[in-house]
């Protein structure tokens, strides 16, 4: 049984297998929100999905997802995508998040795709796009900066 993300051998093994589900199982907040990931059918990397649980609704009149839920979803996606795409198995720590809410995120499944813009020795930059029905009509975009932990 792994100790969690501090178990370097477990982290390296799950990373090598691309077992993002194992990582998500250790993040209760991601489970509560309904975040999942699968291999991206369009390209390399992962495609993330956010389920429209009742607890994720911020405006019950529309209904629409809470902006904090959308931000948490995008932050989770960026962190896990970076962990998988990085040159080495390391734990990133978020330093800065800039999010642009482009339109109302209705209570339907929401998807996100990440792009690793830069990975240096100590810092990384990730861009995330979230959409619902069509990727060409995003509901939000985000740019995140991470400090990379010590390599295993």
């Amino acid at each position: 049984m792994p100790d969690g993300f501090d178990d370097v051998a477990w982290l390296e093994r799950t990373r090598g297998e691309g077992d993002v589900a194992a990582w998500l199982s250790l993040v209760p907040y991601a489970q509560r929100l309904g975040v999942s990931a699968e291999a991206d059918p369009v390209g390399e990397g992962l495609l993330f999905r956010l389920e429209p649980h009742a607890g994720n609704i911020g405006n019950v009149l529309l209904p629409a997802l809470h902006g904090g839920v959308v931000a948490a979803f995008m932050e989770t996606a960026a962190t896990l995508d970076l962990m998988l795409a990085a040159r080495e198995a390391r734990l990133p720590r978020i330093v800065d998040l800039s999010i642009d809410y482009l339109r109302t995120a209705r209570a339907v499944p929401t998807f996100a795709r990440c792009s690793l813009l830069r990975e240096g020795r100590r810092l990384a930059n990730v861009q995330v796009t979230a959409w619902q029905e069509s990727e060409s009509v995003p509901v939000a975009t985000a740019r995140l900066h991470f400090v990379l932990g010590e390599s295993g």
Side-chain angles (χ1 to χ4, degrees):
M1 187 73 172
D3 297 328
F5 290 109
D6 57 342
D7 183 339
V8 176
W10 177 82
L11 181 59
E12 287 177 352
R13 181 182 56 76
T14 53
R15 181 175 181 269
E17 296 169 354
D19 191 357
V20 178
W23 297 345
L24 284 167
S25 72
L26 295 179
V27 184
Y29 190 62
Q31 294 173 21
R32 164 94 169 73
L33 293 178
V35 177
S36 62
E38 61 185 40
D40 189 344
V42 173
E44 294 180 18
L46 299 168
L47 181 63
F48 292 88
R49 180 182 174 109
L50 173 67
E51 294 300 327
H53 297 306
N56 293 348
I57 305 299
N59 183 334
V60 295
L61 299 177
L62 291 177
L65 297 176
H66 190 284
V69 169
V70 173
F73 168 56
M74 295 175 82
E75 179 183 344
T76 301
T79 302
L80 296 178
D81 195 80
L82 174 58
M83 287 174 61
L84 191 61
R87 290 185 301 264
E88 300 175 44
R90 302 192 279 180
L91 290 175
R93 193 177 66 231
I94 190 163
V95 175
D96 179 50
L97 162 69
S98 175
I99 187 165
D100 296 317
Y101 296 100
L102 304 173
R103 57 190 38 84
T104 301
R106 291 172 297 103
V108 298
T110 304
F111 303 91
R113 182 174 286 121
C114 304
S115 189
L116 177 58
L117 301 177
R118 180 183 184 281
E119 179 191 1
R121 285 181 292 143
R122 295 185 301 170
L123 296 173
N125 304 76
V126 178
Q127 181 175 328
V128 185
T129 302
W131 71 93
Q132 293 182 317
E133 278 83 29
S134 171
E135 188 172 1
S136 64
V137 185
V139 295
T141 60
R143 290 159 309 283
L144 299 95
H145 300 100
F146 293 91
V147 170
L148 301 172
E150 295 297 317
S151 57

